[in-house]
Amino acid sequence: MDKDFKSWSRSASIWLLVLAVVSIPSLSFGGAMSQSGKNWEIDISANYVYDDNVVASPEDGQFKPAGISEEDDSGFAWDGSFVYNLEFTKKFKMDFNYDIYQIVYDELSNYDVITQMFGTGMVYKLSRMADIQVDYKYVYNLVDNESFSGFHFINPSFNYFHEKFGFTRIDAWFKEISNINNRTRDGDQWSAGFTHYFLFSNYTRRVSLGYRFSQDDTTGSAFDRDIHDFTLRGLTPLYWGINLDAKAKYSVRNYDQFIVTDGSLRDDDQQIYSALLSKVLVKKAWVFHDVTASAKYQHLFNKSNLAVRSYRSNQYTVGFSTSF
């Protein structure tokens, strides 16, 4: 039981990290080129990370198998991305992109993750204010330097900008997931949702509201579930060139066949709250631009009628990023 739980907890917490770092295609209206006018861009960042519950250990007072305790750790995380844009006509553009993310923990090396994403996308402008985008990515994950999972990700979207009412994105996605470590979690995910951005102060401030419905269909029926995600996000400049990006996300996860000890179906509610402060330190230096310092706090609370999956975590991140 303990061994199975450790494997399950490790798999679940790593999946949460993996899904968190998978970049959804850019929301920039019209798929704009880089600010310098060139048709390529490279972005890099490096961060110190501290997490007080890396292993997603259940809350104190809940059931904990022997040998499982709340384990905190710090580590180093970095990521890089490269995008190459091609403009065929005024209406049609494409891009090719590569992203990599890695986190290395000081002590919990079996939670080290490397995620690589290979992708392409296209934008077709319907009008000056509307476009259709289609993005594809293949995502490959290693955990503790061993193959963990891979999936294909297809994401079509419709985007509309209104000078008065803001920006609306309606999209869907399909994921075909192959989990090398746990074949019962192989499967497909279908998802559809929308996000609307309210823009203020000459577009320097914005508030967004979003809803998404997703359905997981997995080889192991215990992981079949419906997911409802509700998101509220705000971005605003503060003082001294500091910007605030605050986000709240609430997820309802209803499992189709996972029966818990009292005979009911498993039901999880997940809350994620985060706040990111950032400041551009150097606008232009040699080949680099927008050298930025940032600090982020994130709180996650997963409440479940399956006791071993009720847990909390707090994560703190500080670091730098730049583009060239």
Side-chain angles (χ1 to χ4, degrees):
M1 171 67 177
D2 295 346
K3 182 178 179 181
D4 291 341
F5 176 79
K6 288 180 181 179
S7 175
W8 180 25
S9 176
R10 177 171 176 262
S11 179
S13 57
I14 289 171
W15 261 111
L16 181 66
L17 175 61
V18 165
L19 294 176
V21 302
V22 171
S23 59
I24 304 302
S26 170
L27 300 182
S28 301
F29 178 74
M33 299 294 224
S34 66
Q35 294 179 356
S36 65
K38 63 182 183 292
N39 62 350
W40 60 271
E41 184 167 328
I42 296 174
D43 300 295
I44 56 174
S45 70
N47 295 279
Y48 167 82
V49 180
Y50 172 77
D51 193 321
D52 68 1
N53 191 6
V54 176
V55 302
S57 179
E59 289 190 284
D60 291 337
Q62 299 284 359
F63 169 73
K64 291 185 181 180
I68 295 295
S69 62
E70 188 169 336
E71 296 188 61
D72 64 329
D73 202 358
S74 58
F76 172 76
W78 74 278
D79 64 79
S81 66
F82 169 79
V83 60
Y84 181 81
N85 297 285
L86 290 172
E87 182 174 344
F88 294 96
T89 69
K90 294 297 182 181
K91 287 184 172 290
F92 181 67
K93 301 175 183 178
M94 287 191 68
D95 69 70
F96 300 92
N97 51 79
Y98 170 75
D99 300 83
I100 183 169
Y101 171 88
Q102 182 178 20
I103 184 165
V104 179
Y105 287 104
D106 294 336
E107 302 293 338
L108 299 172
S109 61
N110 57 336
Y111 285 80
D112 293 351
V113 171
I114 300 175
T115 295
Q116 296 185 77
M117 292 166 277
F118 309 84
T120 185
M122 57 80 66
V123 178
Y124 182 78
K125 295 187 69 172
L126 301 172
S127 69
R128 188 173 66 91
M129 296 297 190
D131 67 38
I132 295 173
Q133 299 184 25
V134 180
D135 293 276
Y136 165 80
K137 288 185 182 293
Y138 177 72
V139 183
Y140 176 65
N141 304 295
L142 293 95
V143 176
D144 196 16
N145 293 317
E146 295 183 357
S147 295
F148 179 76
S149 66
F151 60 86
H152 299 275
F153 175 84
I154 301 173
N155 179 214
S157 65
F158 170 75
N159 306 278
Y160 177 72
F161 176 77
H162 191 283
E163 292 180 357
K164 181 178 180 181
F165 298 109
F167 178 79
T168 301
R169 176 182 174 89
I170 302 171
D171 75 313
W173 75 49
F174 170 71
K175 292 180 185 176
E176 183 184 47
I177 302 169
S178 175
N179 193 317
I180 299 166
N181 252 16
N182 184 356
R183 290 299 182 184
T184 61
R185 300 201 70 169
D186 287 357
D188 301 327
Q189 183 184 77
W190 303 86
S191 181
F194 73 91
T195 305
H196 184 75
Y197 298 80
F198 300 92
L199 308 173
F200 307 96
S201 305
N202 197 28
Y203 307 146
T204 60
R205 294 179 169 89
R206 65 180 185 261
V207 174
S208 64
L209 299 171
Y211 167 74
R212 176 170 299 281
F213 172 76
S214 306
Q215 187 174 68
D216 286 345
D217 180 13
T218 58
T219 301
S221 57
F223 296 103
D224 290 352
R225 60 184 180 177
D226 295 337
I227 304 171
H228 301 270
D229 292 327
F230 304 87
T231 305
L232 172 65
R233 186 175 185 179
L235 292 89
T236 182
L238 300 175
Y239 298 98
W240 310 295
I242 298 173
N243 295 294
L244 170 65
D245 181 353
K247 183 178 180 181
K249 182 179 179 180
Y250 178 67
S251 296
V252 179
R253 304 178 176 198
N254 300 316
Y255 287 76
D256 295 342
Q257 300 185 46
F258 196 121
I259 300 175
V260 298
T261 53
D262 65 0
S264 62
L265 292 173
R266 179 180 170 183
D267 185 12
D268 288 19
D269 293 337
Q270 186 177 95
Q271 302 172 49
I272 302 177
Y273 305 99
S274 66
L276 170 68
L277 294 172
S278 63
K279 177 180 172 60
V280 176
L281 302 178
V282 180
K283 193 67 179 176
K284 180 71 174 178
W286 192 39
V287 297
F288 302 101
H289 61 84
D290 293 335
V291 179
T292 303
S294 63
K296 180 180 180 180
Y297 167 71
Q298 176 177 285
H299 175 76
L300 184 152
F301 173 42
N302 196 78
K303 181 181 179 182
S304 176
N305 59 352
L306 180 65
V308 293
R309 296 310 300 149
S310 286
Y311 65 94
R312 296 178 185 267
S313 71
N314 296 283
Q315 187 179 90
Y316 306 85
T317 305
V318 292
F320 297 90
S321 63
T322 188
S323 303
F324 59 92

